[in-house]
Amino acid sequence: MRLRALLDTDALGLKLLGGEDELDRTVRGVMTTDLRDPSRYLSGGELVLTGLAWRRDAADSEPFVRLLVQAQVTALAAGEAELGSVPEDLVVACARHRLPLFAVHESVAFATITEHVVRQVSGERAGDLAAVVDRHRRMMTSGPAGGGPDVVLDLLGSDLDLRAWVLSPTGRQVAGPKDAEPALSAEVCAKLAAEHLAATRTDRRAPHRVTVGSTTYSLFPVRGRGQPPVTPPGARAPQGAGAGRDVRETVLSDWLLVVEADAGDWAEERLDLLYGVTQLIAVERDRRDAARTVRRRLAQEVLELVQTGAAPAEIAARLRVAAPVLLPGLGAAPHWQVVVARVEWEDGDEETGRVAQTLLEEILVDPHATGPEQSDRIAVAHTGGEAVALVPLPAVSTEHDGSEAGVLAEALLESVREPLSAGLDGDGRVTLGVSAAVHSAEGLRGALEEARHARRVAAARPGRVCAAGHQELASHVLLLPFVPDDVRRAFTARLLDPLRDYDRRHRAELIPTLEAFLDSDGSWTRCANRLHLHVNTLRYRVGRIEQLTGRDLSRLEDKLDFFLALRMS
């Protein structure tokens, strides 16, 4: 895009201070800096935005402008918020070096200018290939009738001889070209998704190139609403491609565009085209996400009713509203299962409920199904740090072993374990719990508790991605009400009485510490944060618990015994 176009955009609040004869210069990117020497981050053609924090006195302007000119930047835009107006010495220096200079009104954020430039550059810089992008855009903006992302991929094949696919973060094929033979196998999709998530976690610059067998693929992130677009050539993100966002907020929900080619030696024009295509696909992604709003709201309403102890008749009425939306054409209310998921990071600082919600919507889709619409019959809410899915089952049959068919815990993770483990490597975990099927509103509260208990069992296991089903609770949680009182008292006394006695004599709060430790799934950091303790203090208390009871809280069996004792006490 040209500087003249920026000046003509009133919303950007730019005022020309010098360089009127240079307004036909082309902007290839944008960079914000307050470094005294930003040249090592410049590649030429940028519009440089600065708040003038680098300027200490009038003598600083000349060397700063000279460095920008040597780096072949297109223009400089200086904010007025810091000094009230752009200093005359900077105006003079820019005029001497024929560098166009703009003033940015204090009411305009640099992020607004950056977003506008990146969007315009990505759409306009492709030259003759822009016509191809325009064709794609018309297809995408026409809605479902236009064919969605599949049409875009078909045009990539017909116009540029590129085979491409859109994959979910778990490796499920969302879209692909027609008549693409051989198709991507499930194993290849999982490998590509794993490589993409690992590259994103380490903030490697896209496109990511991956060789599987003898074939090289280039991976382009497809970022949704509210996320910065992939930085195009000619523009340089000051803090890497993930600047301004915590990558953990989106790494488990971003789609990716897979192109069967090595983009390492592509011309900028061809890269621009692919970046433009990812933005078009992101529009479709956002549209699909918006379509989930009704289902999410229904799930949220049901969850709130269940958690607040609403009357079964009220919950049943809400389920009758939900059933036609989730299962169109269904004659009678279905059975339901509840699935609970949690995404956790070691530092425990992130609010992960929404991340888990998006991820669970993806995990619950049949891994062999293609197309984004497969999740149209899944309602997922989130509360606190967990996601809760209400999964309708049109008919519940009985398997040969007597168990009811439906969502099975380990089957959910079978095809997604590899990519998710890559995305979580180092400091994250995903744990899921699945309830048995229930056929009435009265059973939903129990199903929710059952799914949560199952998730806790999964959280006690090693590994980055773990799940547990209701079948695994049959030996303890579901049988607790039938344990004789004398057995219950003996069991809890043996484990908890030493801790109660110690608390009574020393006010050490070992019982609350034990409860918080188990509730935090054994995470030292999260438990210490929850109790407002130093980690060393927590370790001392847990060590005292182990000493008094002769148990080891790093062992699953002992954790479960303590959990049951607390539940029965």
Side-chain angles (χ1 to χ4, degrees):
M1 67 179 303
R2 300 188 185 277
L3 288 175
R4 194 179 305 279
L6 286 175
L7 193 60
D8 293 339
T9 306
D10 294 337
L12 300 184
L14 297 178
K15 180 173 64 176
L16 184 65
L17 300 181
E20 185 174 2
D21 296 337
E22 307 293 334
L23 292 180
D24 286 328
R25 288 189 182 187
T26 300
V27 179
R28 300 179 56 201
V30 63
M31 176 186 175
T32 300
T33 185
D34 275 312
L35 295 173
R36 295 171 67 84
D37 180 6
S39 57
R40 64 185 180 276
Y41 299 114
L42 297 167
S43 57
E46 293 93 348
L47 169 67
V48 173
L49 305 174
T50 180
L52 299 176
W54 51 266
R55 182 185 178 276
R56 297 173 185 171
D57 54 46
D60 290 335
S61 293
E62 171 66 25
F64 181 78
V65 172
R66 186 168 60 250
L67 289 169
L68 296 186
V69 172
Q70 290 171 354
Q72 299 182 336
V73 304
T74 296
L76 175 65
E80 296 179 330
E82 182 74 17
L83 302 178
S85 63
V86 177
E88 183 63 24
D89 49 90
L90 183 58
V91 177
V92 172
C94 287
R96 181 180 300 119
H97 291 280
R98 299 180 61 83
L99 180 66
L101 175 63
F102 298 92
V104 182
H105 193 271
E106 64 181 359
S107 64
V108 179
F110 282 175
T112 301
I113 300 174
T114 300
E115 181 181 359
H116 178 82
V117 172
V118 169
R119 185 170 59 248
Q120 294 299 318
V121 168
S122 181
E124 295 175 6
R125 206 189 328 148
D128 292 339
L129 291 176
V132 178
V133 177
D134 287 340
R135 290 175 59 190
H136 294 178
R137 184 176 291 109
R138 287 194 296 271
M139 289 290 185
M140 295 297 291
T141 56
S142 62
D150 298 274
V151 172
V152 177
L153 302 183
D154 287 338
L155 288 174
L156 279 178
S158 61
D159 291 350
L160 296 178
D161 196 26
L162 291 175
R163 297 205 321 154
W165 297 262
V166 177
L167 303 184
S168 76
T170 63
R172 183 176 61 87
Q173 182 176 317
V174 175
K178 295 177 182 176
D179 305 322
E181 292 295 340
L184 288 181
S185 67
E187 293 74 19
V188 171
C189 288
K191 175 70 173 177
L192 294 175
E195 292 288 343
H196 164 71
L197 290 177
T200 303
R201 285 298 311 278
T202 55
D203 204 19
R204 299 208 306 267
R205 190 179 180 88
H208 313 129
R209 288 174 287 162
V210 180
T211 299
V212 181
S214 59
T215 305
T216 299
Y217 300 91
S218 296
L219 313 180
F220 295 79
V222 176
R223 293 178 179 163
R225 182 172 45 231
Q227 302 174 49
V230 179
T231 307
R236 190 180 288 271
Q239 298 175 345
R245 70 185 181 118
D246 189 329
V247 71
R248 295 178 303 183
E249 296 175 4
T250 58
V251 67
L252 301 180
S253 59
D254 284 347
W255 286 356
L256 65 146
L257 174 66
V258 176
V259 180
E260 190 181 287
D262 187 343
D265 57 355
W266 280 6
E268 289 184 2
E269 288 80 4
R270 178 164 287 214
L271 283 173
D272 276 348
L273 174 61
L274 269 296
Y275 292 134
V277 168
T278 63
Q279 293 178 21
L280 299 180
I281 295 173
V283 172
E284 177 70 6
R285 167 67 188 273
D286 291 340
R287 190 181 68 80
R288 303 275 181 169
D289 281 347
R292 294 178 176 176
T293 302
V294 173
R295 296 189 302 278
R296 285 176 171 176
R297 187 173 67 246
L298 288 171
Q300 201 74 38
E301 291 174 353
V302 173
L303 175 61
E304 290 173 1
L305 289 173
V306 171
Q307 291 194 135
T308 56
E314 186 177 357
I315 300 175
R318 182 56 55 189
L319 287 177
R320 283 194 293 272
V321 172
V325 175
L326 298 175
L327 289 176
L330 189 68
H335 290 70
W336 304 89
Q337 274 183 287
V338 175
V339 181
V340 172
R342 186 181 286 268
V343 177
E344 297 170 304
W345 307 103
E346 285 298 327
D347 58 23
D349 290 338
E350 295 299 315
E351 171 56 60
T352 57
R354 292 187 182 278
V355 178
Q357 180 183 44
T358 303
L359 180 61
L360 186 53
E361 287 171 336
E362 173 61 33
I363 290 176
L364 287 170
V365 178
D366 182 348
H368 303 294
T370 60
E373 69 284 348
Q374 295 299 321
S375 61
D376 285 353
R377 294 181 176 181
I378 298 167
V380 183
H382 72 88
T383 175
E386 69 180 11
V388 180
L390 192 64
V391 182
L393 305 174
V396 179
S397 61
T398 301
E399 303 288 1
H400 297 301
D401 61 0
S403 62
E404 291 179 335
V407 176
L408 301 177
E410 276 305 314
L412 286 178
L413 298 182
E414 182 177 352
S415 63
V416 303
R417 195 181 303 277
E418 179 183 356
L420 289 184
S421 296
L424 295 161
D425 186 36
D427 66 346
R429 295 194 76 202
V430 170
T431 51
L432 288 90
V434 182
S435 78
V438 296
H439 65 277
S440 67
E442 289 88 345
L444 274 182
R445 186 175 183 84
L448 177 59
E449 289 302 313
E450 190 175 66
R452 283 175 168 161
H453 287 317
R455 193 206 64 78
R456 291 179 184 277
V457 171
R461 295 171 175 167
R464 293 289 172 189
V465 183
C466 300
H470 62 92
Q471 302 92 336
E472 300 174 64
L473 304 181
S475 62
H476 44 273
V477 174
L478 295 185
L479 295 180
L480 290 183
F482 304 100
V483 177
D485 288 342
D486 56 339
V487 175
R488 183 190 298 256
R489 285 192 294 270
F491 182 79
T492 57
R494 185 166 59 251
L495 279 175
L496 301 183
D497 278 358
L499 306 182
R500 290 173 177 145
D501 291 340
Y502 192 89
D503 281 349
R504 195 161 40 247
R505 287 184 284 110
H506 300 281
R507 299 182 180 179
E509 298 186 332
L510 296 185
I511 291 291
T513 300
L514 176 62
E515 292 174 334
F517 186 77
L518 295 177
D519 194 49
S520 300
D521 300 327
S523 169
W524 296 98
T525 303
R526 283 188 287 107
C527 184
N529 289 340
R530 177 171 177 173
L531 294 174
H532 306 291
L533 297 174
H534 191 279
V535 172
N536 289 341
T537 303
L538 175 62
R539 291 186 184 277
Y540 173 82
R541 288 188 183 181
V542 170
R544 178 65 66 185
I545 291 171
E546 293 174 335
Q547 181 184 23
L548 292 170
T549 60
R551 299 299 186 106
D552 182 357
L553 275 168
S554 66
R555 296 179 67 248
L556 173 61
E557 293 84 352
D558 289 343
K559 285 181 182 177
L560 286 176
D561 282 349
F562 277 122
F563 171 75
L564 293 173
L566 290 169
R567 291 287 294 176
M568 290 189 295
S569 63

